[in-house]
Amino acid sequence: GAVVSQHPSWVICKSGTSVKIECRSLDFQATTMFWYRQFPKQSLMLMATSNEGSKATYEQGVEKDKFLINHASLTLSTLTVTSAHPEDSSFYICSASGLASGNEQFFGPGTRLTVL
Amino acid sequence: GQQVMQIPQYQHVQEGEDFTTYCNSSTTLSNIQWYKQRPGGHPVFLIQLVKSGEVKKQKRLTFQFGEAKKNSSLHITATQTTDVGTYFCAGRWAYKYIFGTGTRLKVLA
């Protein structure tokens, strides 16, 4: 299957700082990238859907000014958690799909964010 | 909003026993996907079902999509310790996928 990377794999930051997470599709062009959030032993909650070159579509209850998403190229999407607070601590996972993959989503390894 | 529920939430089986997880959506789905997530890992795509009543098999795994395209099931025959993990269904509604609540499977050797 296709490979999706995420960076960093984990990050610890102080409350009030901003954190950027990168999601890259390494061997295919990702026209759509999804950002999920997963709490321990729970399911994946879709935060937003981003299509290359256009604004992200955010799910109900997700603050777009707090979780900034940029999908500037067919291989890179970024999620920036602005003014992070302890309640933002979670596992953030991206997935990517493209014309070549059909509807199949290829998931990145995830980023563990801890806000102190 | 759209909800996708899975039952059971947890299942412990003896190695060699069968296992089934059920997925139920509150809305009609375009298609449904199944994923497996190992502890500490990320979801890995297993299969996609599109047609009403579709049945697909992958070795010991059998996947079904309901006639009304609102429910699905995953059945594992003769479980092995390598089957351990959480199984999620993900139903496509409009442009997005809604993940089910997941079923955590433990296989006792």
Side-chain angles (χ1 to χ4, degrees), chain B residues 51-102:
Chain B
K51 298 177 183 176
S52 170
E54 189 170 12
V55 178
K56 286 188 176 181
K57 290 191 175 185
Q58 285 182 351
K59 297 182 180 179
R60 296 179 294 105
L61 278 60
T62 302
F63 304 83
Q64 290 188 317
F65 199 11
E67 294 289 340
K69 300 183 76 172
K70 294 178 74 173
N71 53 65
S72 181
S73 66
L74 158 59
H75 179 81
I76 302 178
T77 304
T79 55
Q80 299 174 358
T81 54
T82 53
D83 295 327
V84 165
T86 301
Y87 292 85
F88 292 102
C89 62
R92 185 175 181 113
W93 188 86
Y95 62 87
K96 62 189 179 186
Y97 283 91
I98 306 298
F99 272 74
T101 46

Side-chain angles (χ1 to χ4, degrees), chain A residues 25 28-32 51-52 74 96-104 106:
Chain A
S25 59
F28 74 105
Q29 294 185 326
T31 51
T32 304
N51 292 298
E52 184 266 338
L74 287 172
S97 67
L99 293 176
S101 72
N103 288 322
E104 182 174 343
F106 297 99

Side-chain angles (χ1 to χ4, degrees), chain A residues 37-50:
Chain A
R37 185 173 179 176
Q38 186 175 33
F39 291 106
K41 298 185 180 180
Q42 292 191 23
S43 185
L44 285 79
M45 300 298 297
L46 180 64
M47 298 174 67
T49 304
S50 75

Side-chain angles (χ1 to χ4, degrees), chain A residues 32 34 36 38 40-46 49 57-60 91 93 102-110 112, chain B residues 1-2 9-10 31 33 35 37 40-45 48 50 88 90 92 95-102 104:
Chain A
T32 304
F34 301 91
Y36 295 88
Q38 186 175 33
K41 298 185 180 180
Q42 292 191 23
S43 185
L44 285 79
M45 300 298 297
L46 180 64
T49 304
T57 301
Y58 289 82
E59 292 303 299
Q60 193 172 12
F91 193 52
I93 313 179
N103 288 322
E104 182 174 343
Q105 294 182 67
F106 297 99
F107 280 84
R112 174 81 53 196
Chain B
Q2 306 79 35
Q9 189 176 1
Y10 303 97
N31 62 54
Q33 298 178 343
Y35 292 83
Q37 185 176 25
H42 61 277
V44 175
F45 177 84
Q48 176 175 281
V50 179
F88 292 102
R92 185 175 181 113
Y95 62 87
K96 62 189 179 186
Y97 283 91
I98 306 298
F99 272 74
T101 46
R104 187 170 302 130

Side-chain angles (χ1 to χ4, degrees), chain A residues 54-66:
Chain A
S54 61
K55 290 183 179 179
T57 301
Y58 289 82
E59 292 303 299
Q60 193 172 12
V62 178
E63 298 175 58
K64 59 182 179 182
D65 293 332
K66 180 169 183 61

